Amino acid sequence: MSLFHPVNLLCPQCEAPVSMSAVGSVNADRRPDLRDDILENRFQDAACPACGESFRLQPQFNYLDAGRGQWIAAMPANRLRDHLELEDEANDLFSTSYGSQAPAAAQEVGKGLTVRLTFGWPAVREKLLLRQLELDDVIVEMMKLHILRSVETAPLAEGIELRLVDVDEETGSYVFAWLETASEKYIEYLNVPSELYVVIHDNPEGWAAIRGRLETGPFVDMQKLYMGEGRHTGDERQAG
């Protein structure tokens, strides 16, 4: 089931008290409307009753969509640098919920789930969108690396990220956007031919080393490649 709990916050604009329900877990099989809210960038929105300022509670919940084979530990964007520690925590939680430490019935569900760890709303939304589009998220991260090598300039900096956000229906190309993680403000859009996905998909040997680095844990995101040495291939703890 999807679980919520009451939280008391201060408005970021006027510091008036704001009460709302914060999600602890989302079961998209039973509450598909919550999945829709995430995709529409309106989940966990709040408005200050005193000044009317709108803001969004940062994600900190577990997401399950057994029908689409997804289990995600969604964390606040400011925890990004703790990704190695949080990968271990996510793997442990999955193990007791749907992996080797879970009851037999839950393990059956877990066999069909892909485990992921995300930071911030744009990242968790992207994972849902990619599964809807039936795209391999590892290949999409490799597309981003290719984009970085191909463009003359890129607004790459801490707090700025590149996300696949849509599909151009007229051209069939993938729409990527540079955006600010905290504010979710879009900075710049790029249309990338869908052929790039096919080229990378059809060249597994050429991309094997990068895939290996991206798949060292449930945090599958090119940002991990820029944050120190990281976890060595084969050293990760396997969920389940």
Side-chain angles (χ1 to χ4, degrees), residues 158-229:
E158 188 165 359
I160 305 294
E161 55 189 277
L162 181 62
R163 297 291 170 196
L164 192 155
V165 297
D166 205 352
V167 175
D168 187 319
E169 296 294 342
E170 291 187 5
T171 65
S173 59
Y174 297 123
V175 182
F176 286 79
W178 289 102
L179 50 85
E180 293 180 353
T181 306
S183 68
E184 302 175 49
K185 178 182 178 182
Y186 285 39
I187 300 170
E188 181 181 337
Y189 291 94
L190 313 182
N191 273 52
V192 178
S194 58
E195 288 79 9
L196 177 59
Y197 182 93
V198 177
V199 168
I200 295 174
H201 176 274
D202 292 346
N203 184 23
E205 292 185 4
W207 288 90
I210 296 297
R211 177 177 280 275
R213 294 182 64 190
L214 287 167
E215 291 186 315
T216 56
F219 179 45
V220 175
D221 194 302
M222 73 165 186
Q223 294 181 94
K224 72 194 294 180
L225 306 182
Y226 300 99
M227 293 188 293
E229 186 176 354

Side-chain angles (χ1 to χ4, degrees), residues 59-81:
Q60 189 160 354
F61 61 93
N62 301 318
Y63 175 93
L64 172 66
D65 189 338
R68 294 181 175 84
Q70 284 188 295
W71 186 92
I72 301 171
M75 302 300 294
N78 62 9
R79 298 295 308 279
L80 177 62
R81 290 193 174 275

Side-chain angles (χ1 to χ4, degrees), residues 19-189:
S19 297
M20 65 177 294
S21 293
V23 69
S25 65
V26 170
N27 186 320
D29 300 290
R30 297 183 179 181
R31 291 289 306 273
D33 58 307
L34 300 183
R35 175 180 176 273
D36 293 341
D37 286 346
I38 295 172
L39 286 168
E40 294 298 325
N41 292 315
R42 60 181 180 234
F43 189 51
Q44 296 282 265
D45 280 352
C48 175
C51 71
E53 176 75 8
S54 295
F55 60 94
R56 197 176 191 187
L57 192 64
Q58 276 288 302
Q60 189 160 354
F61 61 93
N62 301 318
Y63 175 93
L64 172 66
D65 189 338
R68 294 181 175 84
Q70 284 188 295
W71 186 92
I72 301 171
M75 302 300 294
N78 62 9
R79 298 295 308 279
L80 177 62
R81 290 193 174 275
D82 300 325
H83 68 279
L84 292 177
E85 172 190 345
L86 292 173
E87 279 189 327
D88 290 339
E89 292 182 9
N91 280 338
D92 287 342
L93 179 58
F94 181 83
S95 180
T96 58
S97 301
Y98 297 101
S100 60
Q101 305 302 312
Q107 289 188 40
E108 284 300 311
V109 175
K111 290 177 181 178
L113 299 176
T114 299
V115 180
R116 289 293 183 257
L117 170 67
T118 62
F119 296 92
W121 286 114
V124 67
R125 178 191 183 274
E126 182 184 53
K127 294 299 184 189
L128 271 56
L129 177 62
L130 296 184
R131 187 53 60 96
Q132 177 175 297
L133 297 174
E134 300 184 345
L135 298 177
D136 181 340
D137 62 342
V138 181
I139 293 179
V140 171
E141 294 305 315
M142 293 190 279
M143 290 176 69
K144 296 175 187 178
L145 292 168
H146 179 84
I147 291 169
L148 288 178
R149 292 199 298 261
S150 303
V151 298
E152 293 185 3
T153 60
L156 186 63
E158 188 165 359
I160 305 294
E161 55 189 277
L162 181 62
R163 297 291 170 196
L164 192 155
V165 297
D166 205 352
V167 175
D168 187 319
E169 296 294 342
E170 291 187 5
T171 65
S173 59
Y174 297 123
V175 182
F176 286 79
W178 289 102
L179 50 85
E180 293 180 353
T181 306
S183 68
E184 302 175 49
K185 178 182 178 182
Y186 285 39
I187 300 170
E188 181 181 337
Y189 291 94

